[in-house]
Amino acid sequence: MTGKSQAEALPTALGMSVQELVHAVGGFECDPAEMVRASVRTAERAFAELDACDDVIDKASEAGAEVVDRLRAHLASESTADIAADLEELETVAARVRSTEETRRLLNRVLGREDRDAVTPAAVVRLTADDLPKLPSAYAEPDDYADLLAVAGREEQLRPQLKLVHAERVARVASHLLAVVEQVAAVGFADRRFASESLHEARRSYELWQRCLAERRRDLS
């Protein structure tokens, strides 16, 4: 292939128009050799910038893993304020990755690697109060309210079982919250939709977890 035909084929290989290539390089004369050299320099810069974006994602994944470790400890100690701070940090980490999204998309297009953006992450699993173990009730019959002594006696009998179910509910929500954060941290928050849905579910899980704690205090205090 001649120098001219190579130059004409290069923009197509890079997945962009001649005008886009000229703009990316910063302008050059029509000399085919110079076009090739400028295109190589453009590709080199594109790879360097893409490496920088990938580095942001790698660091986000590492930061997410560190937050997961802290979350695990804070959930175990029921440190609600610390958990709220951990979730705020995850939002900050995700925002840093999100700021590279457009650059990554354009560079992958320039380099003919659009397929890198075509990977669909797993769906975010949701957890609701209906998915949790049901709390036992001392009110077995509609007219139980009429016999408060009987209800009080059944409440005392149910207390060990009630304590166990409350513990299961709290642990179930905590485990789910950790799983959601672990999943999005593993992919470095690289997919905007997946990261947004994951962090939203983490917030919902935190609120559900707090609700479970409040219900436990109500029933066992």
Side-chain angles (χ1 to χ4, degrees):
M1 184 181 293
T2 66
K4 182 177 180 179
S5 60
Q6 286 178 330
E8 291 173 344
L10 189 57
T12 300
L14 291 175
M16 60 197 303
S17 69
V18 173
Q19 289 80 6
E20 289 173 323
L21 184 56
V22 170
H23 178 72
V25 173
F28 44 75
E29 299 299 330
C30 293
D31 175 48
E34 178 58 27
M35 177 180 281
V36 171
R37 286 193 293 270
S39 300
V40 170
R41 290 194 297 269
T42 298
E44 289 175 342
R45 290 200 301 271
F47 275 115
E49 292 185 31
L50 194 57
D51 284 344
C53 292
D54 287 343
D55 187 54
V56 171
I57 294 174
D58 290 341
K59 289 181 178 178
S61 183
E62 294 172 3
E66 292 173 0
V67 171
V68 168
D69 289 339
R70 292 201 301 272
L71 267 175
R72 183 175 288 106
H74 294 152
L75 285 166
S77 62
E78 299 182 358
S79 304
T80 56
D82 289 325
I83 294 170
D86 290 336
L87 295 179
E88 283 295 331
E89 182 173 345
L90 289 174
E91 295 282 358
T92 300
V93 172
R96 284 199 295 267
V97 176
R98 193 163 55 246
S99 69
T100 70
E101 181 181 35
E102 185 63 15
T103 299
R104 286 185 282 118
R105 186 186 69 79
L106 290 174
L107 291 175
N108 281 326
R109 180 189 172 203
V110 167
L111 298 171
R113 305 199 299 178
E114 292 93 337
D115 58 314
R116 287 192 56 171
D117 298 322
V119 178
T120 302
V124 177
V125 177
R126 296 190 59 182
L127 180 73
T128 69
D130 292 337
D131 300 317
L132 302 178
K134 304 301 180 185
L135 292 169
S137 174
Y139 300 98
E141 300 296 337
D143 61 348
D144 275 347
Y145 288 96
D147 190 348
L148 295 181
L149 288 178
V151 171
R154 283 198 296 272
E155 283 181 339
E156 192 60 30
Q157 291 177 340
L158 284 174
R159 191 174 180 84
Q161 181 184 354
L162 194 60
K163 184 177 181 180
L164 178 62
V165 175
H166 273 299
E168 291 176 352
R169 287 165 65 91
V170 171
R172 172 80 178 275
V173 180
S175 177
H176 175 72
L177 197 163
L178 285 171
V180 169
V181 177
E182 284 179 327
Q183 189 176 35
V184 71
V187 294
F189 306 85
D191 183 273
R192 176 192 286 264
R193 179 196 59 78
F194 183 64
S196 176
E197 292 181 4
S198 295
L199 294 183
H200 179 68
E201 177 62 17
R203 290 281 185 187
R204 286 183 62 262
S205 298
Y206 174 53
E207 292 171 0
L208 179 59
W209 180 79
Q210 289 179 300
R211 176 180 161 187
C212 289
L213 292 184
E215 291 172 341
R216 187 186 65 186
R217 287 192 297 268
R218 177 201 66 197
D219 291 343
L220 300 179
S221 61

